PDB file of all heavy atoms in Angstrom:
ATOM      1  N   ARG A 522      82.403  90.612 108.500  1.00  0.00           N
ATOM      2  CA  ARG A 522      81.748  89.386 108.029  1.00  0.00           C
ATOM      3  C   ARG A 522      82.213  88.148 108.793  1.00  0.00           C
ATOM      4  O   ARG A 522      81.509  87.157 108.868  1.00  0.00           O
ATOM      5  CB  ARG A 522      81.986  89.224 106.517  1.00  0.00           C
ATOM      6  CG  ARG A 522      81.222  90.230 105.684  1.00  0.00           C
ATOM      7  CD  ARG A 522      81.675  90.257 104.249  1.00  0.00           C
ATOM      8  NE  ARG A 522      82.978  90.909 104.078  1.00  0.00           N
ATOM      9  CZ  ARG A 522      83.591  91.053 102.914  1.00  0.00           C
ATOM     10  NH1 ARG A 522      83.024  90.584 101.811  1.00  0.00           N
ATOM     11  NH2 ARG A 522      84.763  91.660 102.839  1.00  0.00           N
ATOM     12  N   LYS A 529      89.863  91.021 112.480  1.00  0.00           N
ATOM     13  CA  LYS A 529      90.095  89.718 111.835  1.00  0.00           C
ATOM     14  C   LYS A 529      91.543  89.214 111.903  1.00  0.00           C
ATOM     15  O   LYS A 529      91.772  88.042 112.223  1.00  0.00           O
ATOM     16  CB  LYS A 529      89.631  89.786 110.381  1.00  0.00           C
ATOM     17  CG  LYS A 529      89.772  88.483 109.647  1.00  0.00           C
ATOM     18  CD  LYS A 529      88.895  88.429 108.413  1.00  0.00           C
ATOM     19  CE  LYS A 529      89.326  89.341 107.314  1.00  0.00           C
ATOM     20  NZ  LYS A 529      88.396  89.282 106.163  1.00  0.00           N
ATOM     21  N   ARG A 592      90.428  99.665 102.875  1.00  0.00           N
ATOM     22  CA  ARG A 592      91.612  98.902 102.472  1.00  0.00           C
ATOM     23  C   ARG A 592      92.555  99.788 101.666  1.00  0.00           C
ATOM     24  O   ARG A 592      93.776  99.763 101.853  1.00  0.00           O
ATOM     25  CB  ARG A 592      91.175  97.686 101.647  1.00  0.00           C
ATOM     26  CG  ARG A 592      92.329  96.778 101.232  1.00  0.00           C
ATOM     27  CD  ARG A 592      91.836  95.646 100.336  1.00  0.00           C
ATOM     28  NE  ARG A 592      92.930  94.743 100.010  1.00  0.00           N
ATOM     29  CZ  ARG A 592      93.855  94.996  99.094  1.00  0.00           C
ATOM     30  NH1 ARG A 592      93.848  96.140  98.426  1.00  0.00           N
ATOM     31  NH2 ARG A 592      94.822  94.124  98.878  1.00  0.00           N
ATOM     32  N   ASP A 614      96.808  90.741 101.345  1.00  0.00           N
ATOM     33  CA  ASP A 614      95.807  90.698 102.422  1.00  0.00           C
ATOM     34  C   ASP A 614      96.255  89.714 103.493  1.00  0.00           C
ATOM     35  O   ASP A 614      96.439  88.524 103.203  1.00  0.00           O
ATOM     36  CB  ASP A 614      94.467  90.150 101.902  1.00  0.00           C
ATOM     37  CG  ASP A 614      93.782  91.056 100.903  1.00  0.00           C
ATOM     38  OD1 ASP A 614      94.108  92.253 100.862  1.00  0.00           O
ATOM     39  OD2 ASP A 614      92.912  90.539 100.172  1.00  0.00           O
ATOM     40  N   ARG A 617      94.401  86.442 103.606  1.00  0.00           N
ATOM     41  CA  ARG A 617      94.756  85.272 102.777  1.00  0.00           C
ATOM     42  C   ARG A 617      95.922  84.578 103.476  1.00  0.00           C
ATOM     43  O   ARG A 617      97.044  84.505 102.986  1.00  0.00           O
ATOM     44  CB  ARG A 617      95.103  85.718 101.358  1.00  0.00           C
ATOM     45  CG  ARG A 617      93.912  86.367 100.659  1.00  0.00           C
ATOM     46  CD  ARG A 617      94.207  86.786  99.238  1.00  0.00           C
ATOM     47  NE  ARG A 617      93.080  87.513  98.671  1.00  0.00           N
ATOM     48  CZ  ARG A 617      92.021  86.949  98.080  1.00  0.00           C
ATOM     49  NH1 ARG A 617      91.980  85.649  97.928  1.00  0.00           N
ATOM     50  NH2 ARG A 617      91.034  87.687  97.613  1.00  0.00           N
ATOM     51  N   ALA A 669      89.108  84.762  89.338  1.00  0.00           N
ATOM     52  CA  ALA A 669      88.964  85.275  90.706  1.00  0.00           C
ATOM     53  C   ALA A 669      90.360  85.636  91.176  1.00  0.00           C
ATOM     54  O   ALA A 669      91.240  84.755  91.264  1.00  0.00           O
ATOM     55  CB  ALA A 669      88.361  84.201  91.598  1.00  0.00           C
ATOM     56  N   VAL A 670      90.598  86.907  91.455  1.00  0.00           N
ATOM     57  CA  VAL A 670      91.971  87.320  91.745  1.00  0.00           C
ATOM     58  C   VAL A 670      92.251  87.326  93.232  1.00  0.00           C
ATOM     59  O   VAL A 670      91.367  87.539  94.059  1.00  0.00           O
ATOM     60  CB  VAL A 670      92.348  88.669  91.097  1.00  0.00           C
ATOM     61  CG1 VAL A 670      92.195  88.585  89.593  1.00  0.00           C
ATOM     62  CG2 VAL A 670      91.563  89.811  91.699  1.00  0.00           C
ATOM     63  N   GLN A 671      93.512  87.078  93.535  1.00  0.00           N
ATOM     64  CA  GLN A 671      93.968  86.929  94.913  1.00  0.00           C
ATOM     65  C   GLN A 671      95.047  87.978  95.192  1.00  0.00           C
ATOM     66  O   GLN A 671      95.268  88.891  94.391  1.00  0.00           O
ATOM     67  CB  GLN A 671      94.555  85.513  95.082  1.00  0.00           C
ATOM     68  CG  GLN A 671      93.581  84.398  94.659  1.00  0.00           C
ATOM     69  CD  GLN A 671      94.237  83.039  94.633  1.00  0.00           C
ATOM     70  OE1 GLN A 671      95.431  82.926  94.345  1.00  0.00           O
ATOM     71  NE2 GLN A 671      93.458  82.003  94.908  1.00  0.00           N
ATOM     72  N   THR A 672      95.693  87.838  96.291  1.00  0.00           N
ATOM     73  CA  THR A 672      96.899  88.609  96.595  1.00  0.00           C
ATOM     74  C   THR A 672      97.990  87.591  96.943  1.00  0.00           C
ATOM     75  O   THR A 672      97.648  86.432  97.224  1.00  0.00           O
ATOM     76  CB  THR A 672      96.690  89.579  97.780  1.00  0.00           C
ATOM     77  OG1 THR A 672      96.503  88.813  98.973  1.00  0.00           O
ATOM     78  CG2 THR A 672      95.491  90.479  97.550  1.00  0.00           C
ATOM     79  N   GLN A 674      99.428  91.085  95.133  1.00  0.00           N
ATOM     80  CA  GLN A 674      99.420  91.711  93.815  1.00  0.00           C
ATOM     81  C   GLN A 674     100.677  92.580  93.727  1.00  0.00           C
ATOM     82  O   GLN A 674     100.980  93.330  94.659  1.00  0.00           O
ATOM     83  CB  GLN A 674      98.156  92.557  93.644  1.00  0.00           C
ATOM     84  CG  GLN A 674      96.881  91.708  93.798  1.00  0.00           C
ATOM     85  CD  GLN A 674      95.614  92.456  93.458  1.00  0.00           C
ATOM     86  OE1 GLN A 674      95.610  93.683  93.308  1.00  0.00           O
ATOM     87  NE2 GLN A 674      94.507  91.721  93.331  1.00  0.00           N
ATOM     88  N   THR A 693      88.275  97.873  94.666  1.00  0.00           N
ATOM     89  CA  THR A 693      88.283  96.731  95.594  1.00  0.00           C
ATOM     90  C   THR A 693      89.630  96.022  95.595  1.00  0.00           C
ATOM     91  O   THR A 693      89.893  95.207  96.477  1.00  0.00           O
ATOM     92  CB  THR A 693      87.169  95.714  95.290  1.00  0.00           C
ATOM     93  OG1 THR A 693      87.289  95.273  93.948  1.00  0.00           O
ATOM     94  CG2 THR A 693      85.801  96.316  95.546  1.00  0.00           C
ATOM     95  N   ASP A 694      90.468  96.276  94.604  1.00  0.00           N
ATOM     96  CA  ASP A 694      91.838  95.745  94.697  1.00  0.00           C
ATOM     97  C   ASP A 694      92.820  96.718  94.054  1.00  0.00           C
ATOM     98  O   ASP A 694      92.436  97.677  93.374  1.00  0.00           O
ATOM     99  CB  ASP A 694      91.944  94.316  94.146  1.00  0.00           C
ATOM    100  CG  ASP A 694      91.898  94.230  92.635  1.00  0.00           C
ATOM    101  OD1 ASP A 694      91.514  95.221  91.995  1.00  0.00           O
ATOM    102  OD2 ASP A 694      92.252  93.162  92.102  1.00  0.00           O
ATOM    103  N   ASP A 695      94.093  96.485  94.288  1.00  0.00           N
ATOM    104  CA  ASP A 695      95.132  97.396  93.812  1.00  0.00           C
ATOM    105  C   ASP A 695      95.286  97.312  92.299  1.00  0.00           C
ATOM    106  O   ASP A 695      95.644  98.283  91.640  1.00  0.00           O
ATOM    107  CB  ASP A 695      96.445  97.064  94.533  1.00  0.00           C
ATOM    108  CG  ASP A 695      96.203  97.027  96.015  1.00  0.00           C
ATOM    109  OD1 ASP A 695      96.023  98.094  96.611  1.00  0.00           O
ATOM    110  OD2 ASP A 695      96.099  95.904  96.560  1.00  0.00           O
ATOM    111  N   LYS A 717      90.611  83.835 100.607  1.00  0.00           N
ATOM    112  CA  LYS A 717      90.498  84.888 101.625  1.00  0.00           C
ATOM    113  C   LYS A 717      89.583  84.436 102.748  1.00  0.00           C
ATOM    114  O   LYS A 717      88.469  83.978 102.508  1.00  0.00           O
ATOM    115  CB  LYS A 717      89.967  86.184 101.003  1.00  0.00           C
ATOM    116  CG  LYS A 717      89.914  87.364 101.990  1.00  0.00           C
ATOM    117  CD  LYS A 717      90.006  88.694 101.277  1.00  0.00           C
ATOM    118  CE  LYS A 717      88.752  89.057 100.551  1.00  0.00           C
ATOM    119  NZ  LYS A 717      87.648  89.417 101.456  1.00  0.00           N
ATOM    120  N   THR A 719      87.038  85.270 104.974  1.00  0.00           N
ATOM    121  CA  THR A 719      86.066  86.356 105.070  1.00  0.00           C
ATOM    122  C   THR A 719      84.963  86.008 106.055  1.00  0.00           C
ATOM    123  O   THR A 719      84.598  86.817 106.903  1.00  0.00           O
ATOM    124  CB  THR A 719      85.455  86.645 103.676  1.00  0.00           C
ATOM    125  OG1 THR A 719      86.515  86.906 102.748  1.00  0.00           O
ATOM    126  CG2 THR A 719      84.517  87.842 103.727  1.00  0.00           C
TER     127      THR A 719
HETATM  128  C1  LIG B1773      92.178  92.484  97.200  1.00  0.00           C
HETATM  129  C2  LIG B1773      91.241  91.327  97.126  1.00  0.00           C
HETATM  130  O1  LIG B1773      91.526  90.391  98.116  1.00  0.00           O
HETATM  131  C3  LIG B1773      91.433  90.647  95.786  1.00  0.00           C
HETATM  132  O2  LIG B1773      90.559  89.583  95.658  1.00  0.00           O
HETATM  133  C4  LIG B1773      89.800  91.749  97.295  1.00  0.00           C
HETATM  134  O3  LIG B1773      89.443  92.597  96.253  1.00  0.00           O
HETATM  135  C5  LIG B1773      89.520  92.383  98.634  1.00  0.00           C
HETATM  136  O4  LIG B1773      88.155  92.670  98.672  1.00  0.00           O
HETATM  137  P1  LIG B1773      87.337  93.073  99.971  1.00  0.00           P
HETATM  138  O5  LIG B1773      86.296  94.008  99.468  1.00  0.00           O
HETATM  139  O6  LIG B1773      88.278  93.713 100.921  1.00  0.00           O
HETATM  140  O7  LIG B1773      86.724  91.824 100.497  1.00  0.00           O
END
Side-chain angles (χ1 to χ4, degrees):
R522 289 168 286 180
K529 182 160 69 182
R592 183 184 183 282
D614 293 340
R617 297 182 186 274
V670 301
Q671 306 171 328
T672 67
Q674 301 188 348
T693 56
D694 75 345
D695 309 287
K717 184 154 74 71
T719 305

